[in-house]
Amino acid sequence: MSGTETTGSATVSRAEYCVVACAEAWRDAGEILASPMGTVPAIGARLARLTFSPGLLLTDGEALLMGDTPALGARPGSVEGWLPFRQHLTLTATGRRHVMMGASQIDRHGNQNISCIGPWARPTRQLLGVRGAPVNTLNNPTSYWVPKHSARVFVEHVDMVSGVGYDRAAAAGPSATRYHRIPEVVSNLGVFDFETPDRTMRLRSLHPGVSVEQVAEATGFALTIPGDVPLTRDPTDAELRLIREVIDPKGLREREVPA
């Protein structure tokens, strides 16, 4: 399984394919708040804003809306607004936000766990806690980023539901399904969605150098796998320049997804 692929005259790393895949989650999103969690999603959101989604709103990670698109870890050169926590919650509740969260576990229906590992009555590991996952998943588009795809993360049943999947949203009724949407799951192996009749996880694309067999072996449930799985698209030369020279000149992406 190669960590780099050559396209045209450029050598593209696996991390850079992941950045492009994350950026696609915000393609043509309009003027909404992008909330990326993790290094690669943060680079992806900045790439989307500098290319095909110029209307995206990005924060400095605290309470300021950035007027420009600084490099990862740099302070914004201009500020266009103030977004206190109460206003952030308002955006969430009205659907004008697309968050990309992490997942300690995720199942075939898109239920996500970031709270604990093991039975609820006696967990073996305490994690972050439920945090805002239920509100996110029921009120605005929520995608997921998994930097290390394995059967320990992609599981048959999550130990606790933090983010709500398609089956549980459907069981809860119209109030839960009205704004519920999981556009995509990106991992270091490929891109996944839920565009199937029963709303279970489907392999949408493979990152170059990865095989269907490798994905299936690293997944703890039976994925829907189309007969012809495309490759995740190549970044353009302009996108590579932005990733490497403007957004992430320190190469932090390669630490999250090593070659």
Side-chain angles (χ1 to χ4, degrees), residues 159-203:
D159 291 337
M160 177 183 172
V161 175
S162 303
V164 179
Y166 280 99
D167 59 338
R168 287 178 175 267
S175 63
T177 58
R178 184 178 181 185
Y179 297 115
H180 178 267
R181 187 163 70 92
I182 307 173
E184 66 180 43
V185 177
V186 181
S187 82
N188 62 316
L189 299 184
V191 182
F192 308 83
D193 62 24
F194 299 87
E195 299 301 317
T196 56
D198 60 353
R199 288 296 197 179
T200 55
M201 193 180 294
R202 176 185 74 158
L203 175 59

Side-chain angles (χ1 to χ4, degrees), residues 12-259:
V12 183
S13 71
R14 178 69 54 78
E16 289 163 343
Y17 278 109
C18 292
V19 166
V20 168
C22 289
E24 287 290 342
W26 290 287
R27 179 176 283 275
D28 301 325
E31 195 175 54
I32 67 163
L33 179 66
S35 292
M37 300 181 186
T39 299
V40 165
I43 299 168
R46 284 165 167 78
L47 179 64
R49 188 187 200 188
L50 290 172
T51 53
F52 43 72
S53 296
L56 276 184
L57 302 177
L58 295 174
T59 75
D60 65 345
E62 295 184 10
L64 299 179
L65 287 170
M66 300 189 296
D68 58 354
T69 309
L72 206 64
R75 296 179 62 85
S78 66
V79 173
E80 64 180 3
W82 182 47
L83 192 69
F85 192 60
R86 62 180 179 274
Q87 187 61 32
H88 201 130
L89 291 177
T90 299
L91 284 174
T92 299
T94 56
R96 291 178 292 164
R97 176 179 184 246
H98 184 165
V99 59
M100 183 170 284
M101 299 183 70
S104 300
Q105 293 178 327
I106 189 166
D107 67 20
R108 68 171 74 242
H109 298 284
N111 295 294
Q112 168 244 32
N113 174 25
I114 53 172
S115 185
C116 65
I117 300 298
W120 169 251
R122 196 176 181 86
T124 58
R125 293 287 187 275
Q126 176 65 54
L127 305 176
L128 290 173
V130 174
R131 308 293 289 243
V135 175
N136 289 343
T137 48
L138 295 183
N139 289 281
N140 53 232
T142 303
S143 294
Y144 294 106
W145 160 241
V146 180
K148 294 181 180 179
H149 191 128
S150 77
R152 294 177 63 183
V153 179
F154 288 75
V155 296
E156 185 69 40
H157 301 288
V158 297
D159 291 337
M160 177 183 172
V161 175
S162 303
V164 179
Y166 280 99
D167 59 338
R168 287 178 175 267
S175 63
T177 58
R178 184 178 181 185
Y179 297 115
H180 178 267
R181 187 163 70 92
I182 307 173
E184 66 180 43
V185 177
V186 181
S187 82
N188 62 316
L189 299 184
V191 182
F192 308 83
D193 62 24
F194 299 87
E195 299 301 317
T196 56
D198 60 353
R199 288 296 197 179
T200 55
M201 193 180 294
R202 176 185 74 158
L203 175 59
R204 192 167 83 195
S205 74
L206 291 164
H207 300 327
V210 179
S211 70
V212 169
E213 292 74 21
Q214 288 167 334
V215 172
E217 184 178 352
T219 303
F221 53 83
L223 280 166
T224 296
I225 300 176
D228 185 17
V229 182
L231 296 179
T232 303
R233 76 167 179 87
D234 295 329
T236 66
D237 289 343
E239 287 173 333
L240 280 178
R241 185 191 67 80
L242 287 170
I243 293 169
R244 295 171 178 179
E245 300 177 17
V246 177
I247 304 171
D248 184 29
K250 295 181 179 179
L252 299 178
R253 62 194 179 278
E254 307 296 339
R255 299 182 188 178
E256 193 162 59
V257 184

